[in-house]
Amino acid sequence: MARTVKGGPDARRERWKGHREARRAEFVEATIRAVAEHGPDVGMDEIAAEAGVSKPVLYRHFADKSDLYLAVGRRGTEMLMDRMGPAIEHDGPIRGRIKGIVDAYLSVIEEHPNLYRFVVRKSFTDRPVEQDVVNEDKQLIAAALARLLGDHLRAFGMDSGGAEPWAHALVGMVQNAGDWWLDRQSMTRASLGDYLATIIWHAIDGLLRSAGVELDPDAPLTADPAAADPAAGDHGHEGPRLRVVDVEEAR
C-alpha cells in the first residue's frame, strides 16, 4: 500500500496557493488605499509604494494591470453587497425598507468615491477586460430586488412578470442618480435618499392601486397574504394595514 508522506508535494502546493491568495488580498487592500489617496487615476508606482513592495513583486501576483483591476472590482462588489444584502433582507415597513436599500448603496459610494470611479471608469486597465464588474453588480442587485418584488406582487395576487425589468429600472435610476450626486454634491446623502425612496414608493403604490390594493407604507409588510388581510381573523398578528379598493377609485 502506498503511503502518503505528510507535507508532501500536494501539501506544499496548497500552502503556496494559500500564501499567494493571501498576498493578492493584501495587495488588493493596498490598491484600495492608494486609490482613496491618489484618486481613480492612480498608477502602479503609488500602489507599490502603498503596499511596501516593488512593482515587479506586484506583477508576480497579478498578470497585468487588468488582472489587478478585476481583483479590486471583485473586492468592491463584496463591500457593496456586505452593506446592501442586509438592507434588502431586512423586514419592516415597505417605505423604510426602500429607504434602507437606497441609503446602503449611497453610503458605500459616499465612503469610497474614488474606488467607485476607479471601477466604473476602467481607465486603469491596460487591455480590454472580459468581465464587466459594474454590470455584474447591477445584475446581482437587480436579481435580489426582483425576488423581493416578485414575492410581494404574488402575495397580493398580482402578476409578477414585470418584477425583473422593474428591478433593473430601479437599479439604473439609483445608480445614475448616485453618479450625478458624486459629481455635484449639491445635497446631503439623506436628502437624495429621501427623494429616491419617495419616487420608488410612489411607483410601487401606483402599481398596487392599479390592481385595487391600497397599502400603508409605514406598516409592517409581510409576504403572507393571509396575514396581510385584516379580515383573516388573526388578531394576534400585526400585519400591514391595507385595504382592497375599487380599481376605478384607485385610479
Side-chain angles (χ1 to χ4, degrees), residues 14-134:
E14 287 303 311
R15 285 198 299 271
W16 175 241
K17 179 181 178 183
H19 171 73
R20 285 186 59 82
E21 290 175 351
R23 289 293 278 169
R24 276 177 63 96
E26 290 175 9
F27 293 147
V28 166
E29 296 300 326
T31 302
I32 291 173
R33 293 193 301 271
V35 169
E37 180 177 355
H38 300 285
D41 296 323
V42 66
M44 288 295 282
D45 288 327
E46 290 88 356
I47 294 171
E50 180 63 39
V53 298
S54 64
K55 284 199 294 183
V57 171
L58 286 177
Y59 283 118
R60 284 206 293 268
H61 290 81
F62 299 92
D64 51 28
K65 293 173 69 177
S66 296
D67 187 25
L68 176 56
Y69 163 81
L70 286 175
V72 171
R74 294 186 190 104
R75 177 65 183 124
T77 297
E78 291 176 0
M79 295 164 65
L80 181 62
M81 294 312 298
D82 283 347
R83 193 77 58 87
M84 292 198 67
I88 291 172
E89 298 299 326
H90 180 69
D91 291 328
I94 187 167
R95 184 153 54 190
R97 294 180 70 179
I98 294 168
K99 187 173 180 180
I101 293 169
V102 171
D103 188 67
Y105 175 79
L106 295 178
S107 70
V108 173
I109 66 172
E110 179 185 45
E111 292 171 23
H112 308 280
N114 283 336
L115 176 60
Y116 176 79
R117 295 184 180 106
F118 174 86
V119 174
V120 170
R121 292 179 183 177
K122 302 180 185 178
S123 57
F124 180 78
T125 61
D126 48 12
R127 62 175 171 81
V129 291
E130 297 179 359
Q131 183 178 350
D132 188 337
V133 177
V134 176

Side-chain angles (χ1 to χ4, degrees), residues 152-159 225:
H152 290 303
L153 289 173
R154 286 187 292 272
F156 295 118
M158 299 176 65
D159 178 18

Side-chain angles (χ1 to χ4, degrees), residues 183-240:
D183 289 337
R184 294 286 296 275
Q185 292 289 311
S186 57
M187 65 180 66
T188 65
R189 186 181 96 203
S191 294
L192 177 62
D194 284 340
Y195 284 131
L196 292 175
T198 298
I199 293 169
I200 294 169
W201 158 246
H202 281 293
I204 293 173
D205 184 47
L207 182 64
L208 292 174
R209 285 174 179 270
S210 71
V213 175
E214 183 179 327
L215 183 65
D216 184 341
D218 297 314
L221 181 65
T222 175
D224 181 356
D229 186 358
D234 182 6
H235 300 294
H237 179 81
E238 180 63 26

